Structure formats: C-alpha cells, structure tokens
Amino acid sequence: MADSSTVLRRLVDASTEIEQAGAWTLFLDAYSRLILHVARSVARDHDDVMDAYTYILQELQASQFARLRAFSPSGRCKFSTWLVVVTRRLCVDYHRSRYGRTRDAQSDGARVDQDFRRRLR
C-alpha cells in the first residue's frame, strides 16, 4: 500500500479520466476499510452501512474530488484523521437526509413522524 501523500497526490494530480479511475482505485484500496469502519459506527444494520458507504464515496468523488482536494497537509494532522472527521460528517449528513434533523424540543407530532419513518424504513 502506498503512503497517504502518494495516494492523495495521484488523485489530485490526475488529469484524465483513466488517471482519475486508477487513482480512485488506489484510494479505495488504501482507505475503504477506514471509511467502512466509520460508517459502521453510525449506521445500525448492514444495509444502512452500505448505503452510507455509497453516499460517502459519491460525495468524496463529487466535483472532481473537491473534498479530498481541500485537505491541506500542514503537519497538524494525518490525512487518515482528517478523512475520519470528513467521513463522520458525511454520515451525519446522510442520516439527516433520510430521517431529518432531531431537535431537543421536538413536538410529539414530529417525534411520532420521525419514528414512523424509521419503522417504515
């Protein structure tokens, strides 16, 4: 497995679709287990984990890897740590898109509606 700076550099520097596909494959080889681990910490069952994983990968690929390009190797944190934080936030976004945002002072009707959506799922 290549180190994180090599994997990320290949992905950022890829100019053709073939180079991007190869760099994306290398990225997945290096970080797929980490992304799945984060998805498992948030989702409840296997299908939810895989749906969240798919969502994360789509978001990481969006706009020619814009989120991954945003990483700045300043030495303050490792890429894997940064990726865990980004992945966790994407899991929260995914959960909110499916079930809505929970509120502390949520009305009984909204809570019933949210419970119904979860059971329906």
Side-chain angles (χ1 to χ4, degrees), residues 81-115:
T81 304
W82 177 88
L83 183 61
V84 166
V85 171
V86 170
T87 301
R88 174 82 168 101
R89 289 178 181 165
L90 287 171
C91 284
V92 170
D93 291 345
Y94 173 74
H95 184 79
R96 286 179 179 163
S97 72
R98 290 194 94 169
Y99 304 113
R101 186 181 289 256
T102 58
R103 306 228 186 258
D104 290 336
Q106 197 173 41
S107 71
D108 287 335
R111 203 171 288 134
V112 168
D113 182 49
Q114 189 177 40
D115 289 342

Side-chain angles (χ1 to χ4, degrees), residues 24 35 38-39 51-61 86-88 90-91 94:
W24 181 245
I35 294 168
V38 174
D51 288 344
Y53 176 74
T54 302
Y55 176 83
I56 293 163
L57 295 185
Q58 289 171 345
E59 291 300 311
L60 291 176
Q61 281 184 300
V86 170
T87 301
R88 174 82 168 101
L90 287 171
C91 284
Y94 173 74

Side-chain angles (χ1 to χ4, degrees), residues 3-24:
D3 69 354
S4 63
S5 62
T6 303
V7 171
L8 190 58
R9 179 62 38 215
R10 281 190 63 185
L11 197 56
V12 169
D13 291 344
S15 57
T16 67
E17 286 186 30
I18 293 172
E19 289 174 347
Q20 285 179 347
W24 181 245

